[in-house]
Amino acid sequence: MKNKEILKPVIIANWKTNPATVKEAVLLAQKIEQGTAKFKNVETIITPPFPFLIPVLEVLKKSKLGAQTTFWTAGGPYTGEVSWLQLKNLGVSHVILGHSERKIHLGESDEAINKKTLAVLENNMTAILCFGERERMGNDIPIILEDQLKKALRGVRKDKIKNLIVAYEPIWAISTTPNSLPDTPDNAFRAVIFIGKILANLYGSRSAKLVRIIYGGSVMAKNIKGFLKEGKMRGALVGGASLVAEEFVKVVAEADSLVRKQVDGNRAF
Ligand code: PGA
C-alpha cells in the first residue's frame, strides 16, 4: 500500500520563531495532536524552533517532527549551528530548507541551500525545499523557479528524491509579506504543471512523480481545499495558521474530508 501512503496530503506546521515559551509550545502541540488524531488520511508534520524540539516530540503521536533548518555537516567547528546528525539523533525526520525568510533576513545563499539539501537527502531525512518568486506578476516567474530548483538540487541523485518535498511558496503570498494575498488555485495548478516539468527534465517523469509538490502562503481552513483539489497540490506549508491550534486542525480536517471523498485511489493530489 505504498502508493496509497504517498497520495496522502502532507500538512506542515511552520511555527517560525514562535511561541516564546516551552509551555506554550507543548500546549500548542498537544492541542494539534488531539485535534488531528482522527484525520488518518493526512500526514502532519510539526516544525518547532530548536529549543522546543524535544518537549514537543514527547507529546507527538500522530505528527512527525521537523526542523526549520540545519547545518550541512555532521558536526565540527561551526559555532551556533545545529547539524543534521544532531537533529536526526533527536528524532527529527523532516527539515525545511531554503525558506525565503532565511534568504531575505539571513542572506542564506543558493550554495548553502544546496549543501543542506544534499546533506538531508543523503542521510535519509525528508527535505522540504522551499522556493518561489518575489513579485506576483511577471513573465520571468518560470525562469526564476527553474533557476532556484536547479541550484538547490544540484548533485541530488535520482534515488534520493523520494524523500523530497518541494514547497512552492510565492513570497508575495506569505502572510507576513506586506499586502499579501494567497495564490489562487488556478495559478497553483499552473505552478504544479510547470514544477512537474522541471523535475521531469531533471529526473525523468517516473521519478519526478515521487516528489510531492506542496503550496505555502496564507493557507487557512477556508482555502486549503482549493489548493489541493483544483490546484492539485499534494499538501501545504502553513505558517501563521499553524500557531492557532483550532485553525490548523480545521486545515487538516478539510484536507482529510477531501481525501475521503475520493473514489478508491483516484488521484487527487
Ligand atoms: P504563512 O507562512 O502561512 O503565514 O503565509 C507560510 C510560510 O512562510 O511557510
Side-chain angles (χ1 to χ4, degrees), residues 102-147:
R102 296 193 59 82
K103 292 187 202 164
I104 295 167
H105 303 299
L106 295 151
E108 192 159 280
S109 68
D110 294 329
E111 194 193 346
I113 295 165
N114 177 236
K115 283 184 179 168
K116 293 177 180 195
T117 307
L118 281 166
V120 166
L121 292 174
E122 285 297 324
N123 292 290
N124 300 320
M125 299 165 87
T126 299
I128 304 160
L129 177 64
C130 303
F131 67 114
E133 74 281 1
R134 267 175 192 256
E135 306 294 333
R136 182 163 203 142
M137 300 297 172
N139 297 328
D140 52 354
I141 291 173
I143 300 167
I144 296 170
L145 298 186
E146 183 165 12
D147 183 59

Side-chain angles (χ1 to χ4, degrees), residues 14 16 18 99-101 169-183 215-220 223 237-243:
N14 178 11
K16 307 189 181 184
N18 303 290
H99 195 284
S100 56
E101 286 154 8
E169 290 217 312
I171 297 170
W172 48 263
I174 294 178
S175 66
T176 44
T177 303
N179 306 320
S180 65
L181 265 182
D183 204 351
Y215 168 77
S218 300
V219 169
M220 292 166 269
N223 62 22
L237 185 53
V238 186
S242 74
L243 295 169

Side-chain angles (χ1 to χ4, degrees), residues 153-193:
L153 294 174
R154 200 181 195 152
V156 170
R157 298 195 322 262
K158 201 185 209 168
D159 62 321
K160 293 292 169 191
I161 62 168
K162 60 178 189 309
N163 285 338
L164 174 66
I165 295 173
V166 291
Y168 171 57
E169 290 217 312
I171 297 170
W172 48 263
I174 294 178
S175 66
T176 44
T177 303
N179 306 320
S180 65
L181 265 182
D183 204 351
T184 62
D186 274 4
N187 229 9
F189 180 57
R190 274 194 285 277
V192 166
I193 301 285

